[in-house]
Amino acid sequence: MADWIVFWVIAPVSIASAVAMILAKNAVHSALLLIVNFFTLAVFFLILGSPFLFVVQIIVYAGAIMVLFLFVIMLLGVDERESLRERILGQRWLALLLGAGLVVEVALAVRVGVGFGHGGLPDFTRVNRGGNVQALARVLFNSYFFPFEVTSILLIVAAIGAMLHGRRRIGDEETIDAPIDERMDEPGPEPVPAAGPAEATP
Amino acid sequence: MRTPISYFLLMSVLLFTIGTVGVLVRKNALVIFMSVELQLNAVNLALVAFSRQHGNLTGQVLAFFSMVVAAAEVVVGLAIIVSLYRKRRSANVDDASLLRG
């Protein structure tokens, strides 16, 4: 009963925030609405008996990833108007049509595979025995230990890739650590000399 | 007054479709990227729902891995968008048409 109420309170919020995210003109508004949507998804995880993913969803998605998004939006500037010209004729209507087709198709697949039955959620207390985090750790560190270790390589590669893309290019030379006076050919503010203790301004 | 698993799956389908339409319709690279994130999250919801359906934690472990991959993907994707912006002074995906025939 409680999960029924929570579901029907959260589901409209989730759909509405997702639709509003697509329709928002300002990229910052899109990001904020996406954060709302991530919170509703976290609540769904809680209903489905996964408090661990509830917390991870809020910390990693609504916290870290969306802060990164907002940071980049602020860095690039948000004032740019999006042109309404369509590169492909009837692109928007075609997208809506294909989206509706996708919904119908997968809903039919759900009906065939699971069925729109009226049974409640299956009992999960046996699986979550000793706590969800402990049960998840038992699965993760027994059957999925090797993939778990491989993700560490993935994260390192991602970090190096981001550094490679984010470095500053000076002229034709691709370097990060150019000396400061070589950077003077592009117009910019006068470099502040390193303030030593002797030349500190009074 | 009970919530069957299919409700969550339909929720997942709707969110995934909204993300797909967002990718197809929008021009701003950042909003397209956010729509992709929405799609990833919708699939995570389906994974967790199936995990509940089958009384098995593998779906939750897979959702966890998908979050890790999404984090790595966001880092690299945003770096690519930033370097694209530096070259073209625009986050519009239509402007990056160097390979257009």
Side-chain angles (χ1 to χ4, degrees), chain B residues 21-52:
Chain B
V21 172
V23 170
L24 291 177
V25 165
R26 293 301 297 254
K27 301 281 177 64
N28 189 332
L30 283 161
V31 180
I32 288 177
F33 207 43
M34 281 190 251
S35 302
V36 173
E37 290 302 307
L38 185 62
Q39 287 180 299
L40 282 168
N41 272 279
V43 174
N44 271 357
L45 179 59
L47 283 172
V48 177
F50 277 123
S51 155
R52 179 72 180 244

Side-chain angles (χ1 to χ4, degrees), chain B:
Chain B
M1 291 302 192
R2 287 186 295 181
T3 42
I5 285 294
S6 54
Y7 285 13
F8 292 94
L9 295 177
L10 289 179
M11 199 68 214
S12 161
V13 172
L14 284 174
L15 288 178
F16 185 86
T17 308
I18 293 170
T20 313
V21 172
V23 170
L24 291 177
V25 165
R26 293 301 297 254
K27 301 281 177 64
N28 189 332
L30 283 161
V31 180
I32 288 177
F33 207 43
M34 281 190 251
S35 302
V36 173
E37 290 302 307
L38 185 62
Q39 287 180 299
L40 282 168
N41 272 279
V43 174
N44 271 357
L45 179 59
L47 283 172
V48 177
F50 277 123
S51 155
R52 179 72 180 244
Q53 166 87 357
H54 295 288
N56 190 336
L57 281 175
T58 308
Q60 292 188 14
V61 172
L62 197 55
F64 179 65
F65 279 132
S66 128
M67 281 181 186
V68 175
V69 173
E73 173 238 338
V74 163
V75 168
V76 177
L78 284 179
I80 289 175
I81 289 176
V82 167
S83 70
L84 197 69
Y85 184 83
R86 273 194 198 148
K87 241 189 178 77
R88 307 232 169 240
R89 289 286 144 208
S90 149
N92 192 326
V93 286
D94 282 344
D95 292 345
S97 55
L98 197 66
L99 287 180
R100 194 158 58 107

